[in-house]
Amino acid sequence: MDDVPTDIGEPQEIFQDAIRDIFDDPDGNYEVLDTNLSDDPFEPDITVMDADEWVFTVLCYYIEEVPSHGVLEIFPKTFGMRKWVEDSTERPAFLALGVGGTPTNPEVLYFSRFYNFPDRIFEMERNKDLMINWMRPEFFDKVIRDEFDRIYSPS
């Protein structure tokens, strides 16, 4: 793995742990099945199952400072590789993108299906609709429920 570039560091791991803790609630709607604390960009960071036994994955990325120009670079070294993480109707992949603040309490949090982040360049202002409230776990639930309703509802 020495030649595989990495976007993982201590702040990333702390942020990933904070996201995992949101889904690892024994009294909640979710169960964490697996975490990937390695630098392998081809693997999701967190695999979760909900109460209905639907499985989804979460990729986590934290950016320490809010850029004044509002343009972020997501997984600058490994974005293309991370697009290989399975994202299908059977196992949707979501991205938790924390910006500013601290890894355990980001100033801004974006959470959406990974395909809504088509490029490593991300404009914060243009993508406000992907922002959720970090302090309210039910917002994670709403994004996930809406996606599963979209996937499984008859058209």
Side-chain angles (χ1 to χ4, degrees):
M1 288 289 270
D2 289 338
D3 8 344
V4 176
T6 183
D7 286 309
I8 303 300
E10 185 177 358
Q12 300 301 328
E13 291 179 8
I14 294 168
F15 179 67
Q16 178 181 334
D17 288 345
I19 296 295
R20 185 198 63 228
D21 289 348
I22 288 170
F23 291 110
D24 200 20
D25 177 11
D27 299 323
N29 295 323
Y30 301 103
E31 176 186 350
V32 173
L33 300 176
D34 191 27
T35 57
N36 176 31
L37 294 174
S38 75
D39 291 343
D40 188 350
F42 298 104
E43 294 293 326
D45 295 320
I46 305 167
T47 303
V48 182
M49 181 173 63
D50 75 358
D52 294 323
E53 298 187 357
W54 290 337
V55 175
F56 61 93
T57 60
V58 181
L59 292 95
C60 303
Y61 192 65
Y62 174 71
I63 297 171
E64 293 183 53
E65 294 184 26
V66 178
S68 60
H69 50 74
V71 177
L72 309 173
E73 196 172 7
I74 306 168
F75 299 116
K77 297 176 184 172
T78 61
F79 186 86
M81 290 178 248
R82 290 182 188 276
K83 281 298 187 176
W84 286 94
V85 170
E86 180 181 356
D87 184 12
S88 65
T89 55
E90 290 81 29
R91 185 172 289 213
F94 294 86
L95 174 63
L97 172 62
V99 184
T102 66
T104 56
N105 189 17
E107 185 177 325
V108 181
L109 180 69
Y110 297 91
F111 185 75
S112 185
R113 186 92 178 257
F114 192 36
Y115 70 67
N116 288 320
F117 300 84
D119 190 354
R120 67 187 177 130
I121 303 302
F122 181 79
E123 296 178 39
M124 293 175 69
E125 185 67 28
R126 179 190 265 176
N127 292 288
K128 278 185 168 180
D129 59 322
L130 304 180
M131 202 171 9
I132 67 170
N133 186 327
W134 170 260
M135 302 306 291
R136 307 263 316 262
E138 61 268 19
F139 285 109
F140 286 92
D141 190 52
K142 180 179 180 349
V143 171
I144 293 162
R145 288 283 137 230
D146 287 352
E147 187 60 30
F148 279 122
D149 287 348
R150 187 191 67 74
I151 290 171
Y152 293 108
S153 68
S155 312

